[in-house]
Amino acid sequence: ATGIGKRINMSAMDMDFMVLGASQDDSALPAKPQIHVADTYTYTGNSITANVLGFDPDTMLIDGNVATNAGTYTITVTPMTKWQDGSTDAVYATWCINKAVPAFDLPVVKASEGTALKQIRLPDSFTWTNPNQIVTLDETIFGVVYTPEDTTNYLTVEFDLTIKVLVSEDNSGDDSGDD
């Protein structure tokens, strides 16, 4: 290991220096790691730093381990100098930030018996799973889909919604229409 960290006297000046590109004891170099991400992550709106096992910040550089949005990312780890085998190839791991379940208020829906769901207005971001279904006294639970504004980071949610059925008064005995 010639020239690394050696002290030399250059015309009355005493200085420390490091010769770039000089050979180094390979046993002091890191072994090429097998890296992987230890945890699972869900979107929070904040920056998330992946916990990468096999990464040593004292001897390695890392990129791609910080993200905010839901998605799949690639982490790249390289040696600060080189690996014990003499290579400088990067090692990779993928990691994911999962979409979050959105928070929303369930709509309160009332409808008259015999009404088709497509005639019943839902709040923005909500749609009927089967808008042609008819509300009856026996059928009061219907599928609804909530689609958040931000579909990059939040899941679309399907759920069952109970409708309060309003029963019409039966006026079949009075055909005059007058009270």
Side-chain angles (χ1 to χ4, degrees), residues 6 22 28-29 32 38 41 43 47-48 51 60-61 78 82 108 114 129 135 138 140 142 162 164 178-179:
K6 298 273 185 186
L29 296 172
K32 187 184 289 187
Y41 303 94
Y43 174 76
S47 181
I48 297 172
N51 179 15
M60 302 171 197
L61 303 172
T78 54
K82 62 183 177 178
V108 175
T129 303
V135 176
D138 296 326
T140 62
F142 300 95
T162 301
K164 179 168 173 71
D178 296 331
D179 285 328

Side-chain angles (χ1 to χ4, degrees), residues 103-118:
F104 58 89
D105 294 325
L106 290 176
V108 175
V109 179
K110 296 177 185 175
S112 297
E113 182 180 14
T115 304
L117 294 179
K118 63 185 170 191

Side-chain angles (χ1 to χ4, degrees), residues 42-124:
T42 300
Y43 174 76
T44 63
N46 298 314
S47 181
I48 297 172
T49 302
N51 179 15
V52 182
L53 298 180
F55 169 69
D56 178 2
D58 294 332
T59 61
M60 302 171 197
L61 303 172
I62 192 166
D63 186 45
N65 64 318
V66 179
T68 301
N69 291 324
T72 301
Y73 300 93
T74 300
I75 295 169
T76 304
V77 171
T78 54
M80 286 185 182
T81 57
K82 62 183 177 178
W83 303 120
Q84 277 180 2
D85 67 6
S87 71
T88 58
D89 299 340
V91 291
Y92 304 95
T94 58
W95 67 292
C96 183
I97 297 175
N98 298 310
K99 291 182 179 186
V101 176
F104 58 89
D105 294 325
L106 290 176
V108 175
V109 179
K110 296 177 185 175
S112 297
E113 182 180 14
T115 304
L117 294 179
K118 63 185 170 191
Q119 296 173 301
I120 304 169
R121 179 153 164 66
L122 289 171
D124 290 345

